[in-house]
Amino acid sequence: MSQVELRRRPSRTVPATVVALVLLVVTAAITVASVSRLLDGTWPTWALDPAGSVARQTWGSAVVVTTGAVLLVVGVVLLLAAVLPGRRSGISVAYTVENAEASEVVITPRGVARLAAAAADEVDGVERVDVSASKGAVRVVVSTSLREDVDAVSAAVQQSVQSRLDVLGTGPVCQVETRVRVKES
């Protein structure tokens, strides 16, 4: 069995929303024009004018060629958005699964941030923790009311978070950046 890289696909909500809104508008316009035709026996003028201008175009006209090119580009972009996988959204963890031929364990950046926040919160003197994580770095901002021990708190938070992440095996993938804010009393 070959080793498969774990990939999580993004939700692709923007292309899906654009396509859905365009289809909704076109369908609503066609429905309103059809109901008007059924009730009055004639097509509404707002539907006839664009239809007449489209009917007067030739295949080689600039409007038809430009519209076709734009629709082609939009179609290719939407097709690629649906088919191509998204970028990796997890951080690999050095953990092996027993009884598996090939395995990869990953943790989301949000999970890494929660682990870092828990490690920083255990340090004495820390009153509040704000953590953000990306694939390359973990940024920890802690608040403390200890004015004279700011450097000691910063070093302790750095050590605590780094040791917690080292247990995961993420190693140098996650660089830890620590800032300490002193709360005014």
Side-chain angles (χ1 to χ4, degrees):
M1 180 176 205
S2 65
Q3 191 170 10
V4 177
E5 185 177 303
L6 180 63
R7 280 191 181 260
R8 182 174 166 227
R9 292 177 182 253
S11 62
R12 310 287 190 202
T13 55
V14 173
T17 303
V18 168
V19 171
L21 287 175
V22 168
L23 289 176
L24 179 68
V25 168
V26 169
T27 305
I30 291 171
T31 303
V32 168
S34 300
V35 168
S36 176
R37 167 85 171 151
L38 289 173
L39 293 177
D40 301 341
T42 60
W43 291 102
T45 56
W46 58 265
L48 288 177
D49 292 339
S53 66
V54 169
R56 287 188 294 273
Q57 298 296 324
T58 62
W59 282 107
S61 70
V63 174
V64 172
V65 171
T66 304
T67 303
V70 168
L71 290 175
L72 178 69
V73 169
V74 169
V76 168
V77 167
L78 290 174
L79 184 65
L80 289 175
V83 172
L84 295 177
R87 64 173 200 236
R88 271 181 86 103
S89 62
I91 299 170
S92 293
V93 176
Y95 182 79
T96 56
V97 178
E98 295 179 20
N99 302 328
E101 289 181 27
S103 65
E104 182 180 13
V105 179
V106 297
I107 187 169
T108 63
R110 182 177 179 189
V112 171
R114 286 183 175 182
L115 286 171
D121 197 37
E122 293 174 356
V123 174
D124 289 337
V126 172
E127 296 176 8
R128 185 168 179 246
V129 179
D130 290 321
V131 179
S132 64
S134 64
K135 290 183 70 171
V138 176
R139 285 170 273 315
V140 182
V141 179
V142 295
S143 298
T144 183
S145 57
L146 304 174
R147 291 180 184 274
E148 61 277 350
D149 292 335
V150 172
D151 292 333
V153 170
S154 178
V157 168
Q158 176 83 19
Q159 163 64 29
S160 177
V161 171
Q162 192 65 53
S163 66
R164 181 73 53 96
L165 295 181
D166 286 344
V167 169
L168 285 178
T170 58
V173 174
C174 292
Q175 177 185 1
V176 178
E177 302 168 9
T178 307
R179 281 188 23 212
V180 177
R181 292 184 183 157
V182 178
K183 286 178 62 175
E184 299 296 324
S185 13

